[in-house]
Amino acid sequence: MTKTILITGATDGIGLLTAQTLAAEGHTILLHGRSTAKLEAAAQKVGGKNETYAADLSRIGDVQALAAEIRKDHDQIDVIINNAGVLKTKDAMTADGYDVRFMVNTFAPYVLTTDLLDLLPKDGRVVNLSSAAQAPVDNDAMYGRTQLDDMGAYAQSKLAITIWTRELATTRPDGPVIVAVNPGSLLASKMVKEGFGVAGNDLQIGADILKEAALGASFADASGKYFDNDAQRFALPHAAALDAQHSAAVMAGITDITTQLTASDGV
């Protein structure tokens, strides 16, 4: 049975290759990107049945508009792959005063997922891109009160999305599956090339595990879990994600910040 699958950050890297891999199997792919021109090029590469949606995930109003547009076009989607991410950027802070890594890597996928969650069937999937780079979250940094270096912000934002993956899964015991995945370290994406100056490993490693997480039987009972593709197994995330007090503080921050943002920028 073919599925309708939303992939954010689908104009290059792992997102694009995952879209191509899934489209080749007949699934309908909803491609998200920030640039209309890049989306048009991606749609040509992906082929098959695809639709394009443009949104800047550093702007919460764009995130809400994206969710609204998808809801207008679809009464059900089967999988959300929250792939879009930022490591290095010229402008570290958004207009709202938050680090762009937290905005794009943590807050935007949380708002998008919660806005679309009722469109997913119980056997649907939410696949969140985590990372081997995870670090305890400084709530002052998450709130934009202090600034971090690129890697610090990235690692903290990836722990934060792993935490909300675990927490949101507890609220949906009957499904859909909500899972965090490290697709593999130093894969040959634009982010890795720009961030680390290396060519990187085969992107197909990441696309294959995202396909399995989206559709495969091995993830059918994996809600709330973290899959480490470097070890090729389900594993424990960073210890801070398992600390109840730390997780509660991070979750409270995410819900508070996104509530404020959606109230001020809502569409």
Side-chain angles (χ1 to χ4, degrees), residues 41 50 75 127 135:
N50 71 68
D75 56 15
V127 180

Side-chain angles (χ1 to χ4, degrees), residues 7 9-21 31 42-43 45-46 83:
I7 305 176
T11 57
D12 56 39
I14 301 171
L16 176 58
L17 186 56
T18 302
Q20 291 173 296
T21 301
L31 302 166
K45 290 179 182 177
V46 170
N83 164 74

Side-chain angles (χ1 to χ4, degrees), residues 24-40:
E25 297 188 352
H27 303 291
T28 297
I29 311 300
L30 311 186
L31 302 166
H32 156 265
R34 188 173 57 178
S35 159
T36 302
K38 286 185 177 181
L39 273 172
E40 290 174 359

Side-chain angles (χ1 to χ4, degrees), residues 39-210:
L39 273 172
E40 290 174 359
Q44 291 294 320
K45 290 179 182 177
V46 170
K49 295 178 287 184
N50 71 68
E51 302 168 22
T52 59
Y53 294 88
D56 181 347
L57 298 189
S58 72
R59 299 169 54 87
I60 214 69
D62 272 28
V63 179
Q64 291 181 284
L66 170 62
E69 191 175 357
I70 291 169
R71 294 184 70 89
K72 177 170 63 72
D73 294 343
H74 298 273
D75 56 15
Q76 176 175 311
I77 57 175
D78 300 291
V79 180
I80 300 171
I81 301 178
N82 285 310
N83 164 74
V86 175
L87 170 57
K88 282 193 172 183
T89 177
K90 287 188 300 182
D91 301 312
M93 305 302 288
T94 70
D96 295 301
Y98 297 97
D99 189 295
V100 73
R101 276 64 62 108
F102 278 110
M103 184 66 77
V104 174
N105 302 352
T106 306
F107 305 149
Y110 180 77
V111 171
L112 182 62
T113 299
T114 53
D115 279 2
L116 296 176
L117 206 50
D118 64 327
L119 296 189
L120 273 74
K122 288 184 177 180
D123 64 350
R125 308 269 176 98
V126 176
V127 180
N128 288 334
L129 269 285
S130 183
S131 172
Q134 299 173 25
V137 178
D138 177 343
N139 266 31
D140 280 339
M142 187 165 67
Y143 272 90
R145 294 190 285 259
T146 62
Q147 286 191 251
L148 301 168
D149 62 20
D150 292 332
M151 199 61 205
Y154 180 81
Q156 290 190 30
S157 72
K158 288 302 185 179
L159 185 77
I161 194 173
T162 305
I163 286 172
W164 80 243
T165 299
R166 290 167 54 84
E167 296 298 320
L168 190 60
T170 66
T171 71
R172 298 281 175 149
D174 297 324
V177 166
I178 306 172
V179 65
V181 176
N182 164 29
S185 295
L186 297 179
L187 300 181
S189 65
K190 183 174 72 173
M191 181 190 297
V192 164
K193 291 171 186 174
E194 291 178 350
F196 300 98
V198 297
N201 301 316
D202 186 1
L203 273 180
Q204 195 67 50
I205 294 168
D208 286 345
I209 195 58
L210 294 184

